[in-house]
């Protein structure tokens, strides 16, 4: 069974190899906030990796963003641009078209939030296959529940590094009761750090956290190699403990996916809660799909060629470990810079 699980893991990794950029699918963020009767503050925040940034340019059909931004800041993880707009009396946001140039050539989503002085809000998510939207204000105040939940689902399903960690646990533990305890411990841990980040009790540098997340995957990969060689390690003996410990790190990374894009302070707790629920839904979808695939492949267990059966237990952990080691070195360099 372990060999079949490892073979499945290798196939999944080969299928997802083109997405090995991991969390360069961090969302971008566009905030439009009315600060006076005819004054608007527009903030654009897009993820970068060191000195590299995909060319993404937001546009409004009323031309507000055609002028050069009043301020531009580049950090190791984000490019931030802002505009202060004085609008004409008849120049409102209602019914205006919003588009992000270059989004269709990326794997980045854009979380959009527009807020008027009277409390009405508009929220949506732009995607590479749908980079345009028309602004409308159908409700008064509050958060758009589907937007943050949907972003959470997509974040975990496109977060290859987080999925590799979960896959590593699955390959180590197998389809058995201990897997339920390990996944529960992982969920509880990252929910704790999400909640603590939401209320401002704890804070950790995002670049350091991302590097440690990659290191946690390297650790699980090493445990997989030891198990394949017949040496049962700490993770195999106590998977729930390792899942909980590293789940705390992954929770900080999940929180950073929203907190760092600049959500309004009064919206962060609810946004993170909805995002966390989306993460859990996506995680369960991934685990469920992997388990169904394992069960479907069980009848083929005895038909595997002898050479493949010997290679498979080592292929998956080395593939996981190679990706994770590359991410760790890359992210550590950014954190030190």
């Amino acid at each position: 069974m372990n060999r079949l699980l490892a073979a499945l893991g290798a196939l999944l990794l080969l299928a997802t190899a083109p997405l090995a950029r991991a969390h360069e699918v961090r969302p971008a963020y566009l905030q439009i906030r009315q600060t006076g009767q005819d004054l608007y503050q527009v903030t654009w925040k897009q993820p970068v990796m060191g000195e590299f940034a995909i060319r993404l340019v937001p546009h409004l059909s009323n031309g507000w963003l055609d002028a050069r931004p009043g301020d531009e800041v580049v950090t190791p993880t984000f490019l931030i641009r802002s505009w202060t707009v004085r609008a004409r009396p008849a120049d409102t946001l209602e019914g205006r078209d919003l588009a992000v140039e270059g989004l269709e050539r990326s794997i980045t989503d854009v979380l959009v939030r527009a807020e008027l002085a009277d409390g009405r809000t508009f929220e949506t998510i732009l995607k590479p296959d749908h980079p345009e939207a028309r602004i409308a204000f159908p409700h008064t105040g509050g958060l758009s529940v589907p937007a943050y939940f949907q972003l959470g689902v997509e974040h975990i399903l496109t977060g290859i590094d987080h999925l590799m960690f979960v896959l590593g646990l699955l390959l180590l533990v197998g389809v058995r009761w201990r897997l339920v305890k390990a996944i529960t411990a992982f969920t509880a841990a990252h929910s704790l750090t999400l909640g603590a980040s939401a209320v401002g009790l704890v804070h950790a540098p995002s670049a350091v956290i991302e590097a440690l997340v990659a290191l946690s995957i390297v650790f699980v990969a090493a445990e997989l190699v030891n198990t394949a060689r017949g040496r049962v390690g700490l993770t195999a003996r106590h998977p729930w403990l390792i899942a909980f410990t590293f789940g705390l790190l992954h929770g900080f990374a999940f929180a950073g996916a929203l907190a760092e894009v600049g959500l309004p302070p009064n919206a962060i707790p609810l946004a993170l809660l909805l995002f966390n629920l989306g993460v859990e839904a996506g995680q369960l979808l991934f685990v469920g799909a992997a388990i169904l695939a394992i069960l479907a492949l069980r009848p083929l267990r005895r038909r595997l060629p002898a050479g493949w059966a010997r290679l498979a237990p080592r292929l998956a952990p080395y593939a996981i470990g190679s990706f994770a080691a590359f991410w760790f070195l890359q992210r550590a360099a950014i954190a030190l810079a």
Side-chain angles (χ1 to χ4, degrees):
M1 185 62 186
N2 287 336
R3 291 175 178 174
L4 187 58
L5 287 173
L8 174 66
L11 291 174
L12 288 173
L13 288 176
L14 290 174
T16 58
L19 301 177
R21 284 173 286 183
H23 275 290
E24 278 317 290
V25 294
R26 291 173 297 168
Y29 181 64
L30 178 67
Q31 181 188 55
I32 307 172
R33 187 166 59 92
Q34 186 178 13
T35 57
Q37 183 176 358
D38 58 352
L39 282 178
Y40 294 83
Q41 186 69 32
V42 182
T43 302
W44 166 256
K45 219 172 184 184
Q46 76 172 82
V48 300
M49 180 63 72
E51 298 179 354
F52 300 97
I54 300 174
R55 186 178 185 275
L56 299 176
V57 183
H59 295 286
L60 277 170
S61 59
N62 57 8
W64 284 5
L65 306 183
D66 292 346
R68 293 179 61 86
D71 190 28
E72 181 173 312
V73 177
V74 180
T75 73
T77 54
F78 282 97
L79 167 65
I80 307 168
R81 291 172 174 160
S82 60
W83 294 260
T84 300
V85 179
R86 183 174 295 276
R88 297 185 300 272
D91 192 6
T92 65
L93 279 174
E94 184 74 36
R96 300 299 182 181
D97 292 325
L98 169 68
V100 177
E101 178 186 348
L103 189 62
E104 69 279 1
R105 299 187 296 274
S106 74
I107 55 172
T108 301
D109 292 343
V110 178
L111 180 61
V112 178
R113 178 181 173 88
E115 181 179 352
L116 299 181
D118 61 8
R120 289 183 294 154
T121 62
F122 166 79
E123 291 176 340
T124 190
I125 298 176
L126 301 182
K127 305 175 179 300
D129 60 352
H130 192 71
E132 301 178 357
R134 177 158 292 180
I135 298 176
F137 297 92
H139 58 280
T140 56
L143 292 174
S144 175
V145 173
Y148 293 118
F149 181 84
Q150 180 182 355
L151 190 63
V153 172
E154 294 180 351
H155 184 75
I156 184 65
L157 291 182
T158 56
I160 306 302
D161 48 359
H162 294 298
L163 292 182
M164 276 193 180
F165 182 84
V166 175
L167 178 61
L169 287 178
L170 176 59
L171 294 176
L172 273 171
V173 178
V175 183
R176 59 186 72 177
W177 175 245
R178 292 202 306 164
L179 177 64
V180 176
K181 293 192 292 185
I183 295 298
T184 301
F186 183 68
T187 296
H190 71 63
S191 297
L192 282 176
T193 44
L194 267 171
S197 297
V199 298
L201 292 179
V202 293
H203 173 74
S206 61
V208 174
I209 290 297
E210 291 289 348
L212 292 177
V213 165
L215 190 60
S216 72
I217 306 169
V218 174
F219 178 85
V220 171
E223 291 288 89
L224 278 169
V225 172
N226 288 333
T227 301
R229 293 174 177 173
R231 298 196 297 268
V232 179
L234 179 62
T235 304
R237 292 196 305 270
H238 306 289
W240 68 269
L241 178 61
I242 299 302
F244 184 86
T245 301
F246 289 132
L248 296 174
L249 291 175
H250 287 248
F252 279 118
F254 291 149
L258 281 183
E260 287 192 358
V261 297
L263 290 175
N266 61 346
I268 288 179
L270 183 55
L272 286 177
L273 172 62
L274 297 173
F275 180 75
N276 187 44
L277 293 176
V279 166
E280 296 317 308
Q283 182 174 279
L284 290 176
L285 283 173
F286 173 75
V287 172
I291 290 176
L292 287 176
I294 291 170
L295 296 178
L297 289 173
R298 272 183 173 176
L300 303 177
R301 177 182 178 183
R302 296 181 179 178
R303 300 180 184 179
L304 288 174
W308 173 255
R310 289 192 298 271
L311 177 63
R314 292 172 174 80
L315 180 60
Y318 280 117
I320 292 175
S322 297
F323 281 134
F326 170 76
W327 290 331
F328 171 70
L329 294 174
Q330 183 184 57
R331 297 171 182 182
I334 293 173
L336 291 175

